[in-house]
Amino acid sequence: MSVTPVLFDRLALAKHRNRARFNPAVFLHEEALADVQDRIALVNKSFTAPAIVAPFPEIWQPHWQTARIVPDDDILDLTENTHDLIVHAMALHWANDPVGQLIQCRRALKPDGLLLVVALGGQTLHELRAALGQAEIEVTGGLSPRIAPMGEIRDLGALLQRAGLALPVADSAVLKTSYATPLHLMHDLRAMGETNALSTRIRMSTRRSVIQRAMELYADAYADETGRIIATFELITLTGWAPDSSQPQPLRPGSAVQRLADVLNTAETPLKD
């Protein structure tokens, strides 16, 4: 019997998010929100029963007054065949079972309902990951988990098909930000509620010598011409639809009525056996 691995300490994650609400840094959510709004505006369809899966509902609720707000728990509080739009907002990268989250959303959609997912992708904080890893190896001789593994766009796109969603699309936007020092970046991550909540994290404070060395390595390798350090965030957007007979369907293999060579007005060259 397979057991879903528990990658994240959900209690620690909730504490981080609650702490962040006192002085939040929400620019990533604002970017995600703008992206979702643009995509919905391009859809030639009215949505009357939306739901939003969000860890920070105060950011999303004002823009969808009629939407049902759902916490991003492992088991989503969604009812089957209820919604024509579900937005999974900046939370999938903290899911212990990402494909399970998508399956739950697909089941909650009505036929031809739309699922939009925005989450952090694999390029996020690659600079900080490298600097911390090298510093810890140099100072302690070991390496501990500090930044959560985040999915690559190809892998996340494949999850849409595994979840049974039709017309799957995955794309990404890479955002480059700058900070005066790596310490300012870490303060911002704390204000985002995006600090380490891995189940396998070390539960004691990081050595000051590790932090100092990581700051030096970061500044040496990832500073711009002004001396400010660069930090990368990747927003991956996933789009999928609940299957419906009204959607475009692929033709069966061998059912074409016209040869491709005729369409291209070229000679067909048979392949050798």
Side-chain angles (χ1 to χ4, degrees), residues 63-142:
H63 301 275
W64 282 280
Q65 295 290 343
T66 61
R68 184 163 186 268
I69 302 296
V70 178
D72 65 313
D73 298 327
D74 288 335
I75 304 299
L76 299 176
D77 186 18
L78 291 169
T79 303
E80 188 171 348
N81 197 33
T82 300
H83 301 285
D84 55 8
L85 170 67
I86 297 178
V87 178
H88 202 295
M90 295 296 288
L92 193 67
H93 54 280
W94 286 116
N96 283 311
D97 182 12
V99 69
Q101 292 274 302
L102 299 183
I103 290 172
Q104 293 178 69
C105 290
R106 191 258 299 163
R107 289 174 176 169
L109 286 171
K110 299 177 181 180
D112 202 35
L114 173 63
L115 172 64
L116 270 169
V117 179
V118 188
L120 294 178
Q123 296 186 54
T124 299
L125 298 176
H126 69 85
E127 304 94 345
L128 181 61
R129 190 190 308 272
L132 281 172
Q134 184 177 341
E136 190 168 23
I137 290 172
E138 289 183 10
V139 175
T140 70

Side-chain angles (χ1 to χ4, degrees), residues 157-176:
L159 296 185
L160 292 170
Q161 292 181 306
R162 287 182 58 192
L165 289 152
L167 309 175
V169 176
D171 54 65
S172 74
V174 176
L175 308 177
K176 296 287 186 178

Side-chain angles (χ1 to χ4, degrees), residues 235-257:
L235 290 181
I236 291 181
T237 303
L238 307 177
T239 306
W241 296 80
D244 185 69
S245 59
S246 65
Q247 296 166 350
Q249 303 295 320
L251 295 174
R252 291 173 300 165
S255 62
V257 296

Side-chain angles (χ1 to χ4, degrees), residues 169-223:
V169 176
D171 54 65
S172 74
V174 176
L175 308 177
K176 296 287 186 178
T177 60
S178 69
Y179 291 88
T181 69
L183 197 58
H184 286 82
L185 166 61
M186 291 184 175
H187 286 164
D188 230 14
L189 293 174
R190 184 182 177 95
M192 295 176 193
E194 297 285 346
T195 46
N196 191 357
L198 287 163
S199 295
T200 54
R201 71 192 185 281
I202 294 178
R203 306 303 174 97
M204 62 184 69
S205 299
T206 302
R207 291 189 196 179
R208 181 182 294 273
S209 55
V210 171
I211 296 296
Q212 289 177 337
R213 182 56 180 150
M215 301 302 98
E216 295 169 358
L217 292 168
Y218 201 131
D220 289 343
Y222 303 108

Side-chain angles (χ1 to χ4, degrees), residues 12 14-24 189-191 193 195:
K15 290 179 179 178
H16 296 170
R17 288 170 171 175
N18 288 334
R19 180 180 61 200
R21 287 186 170 89
F22 289 101
N23 185 27
L189 293 174
R190 184 182 177 95
T195 46

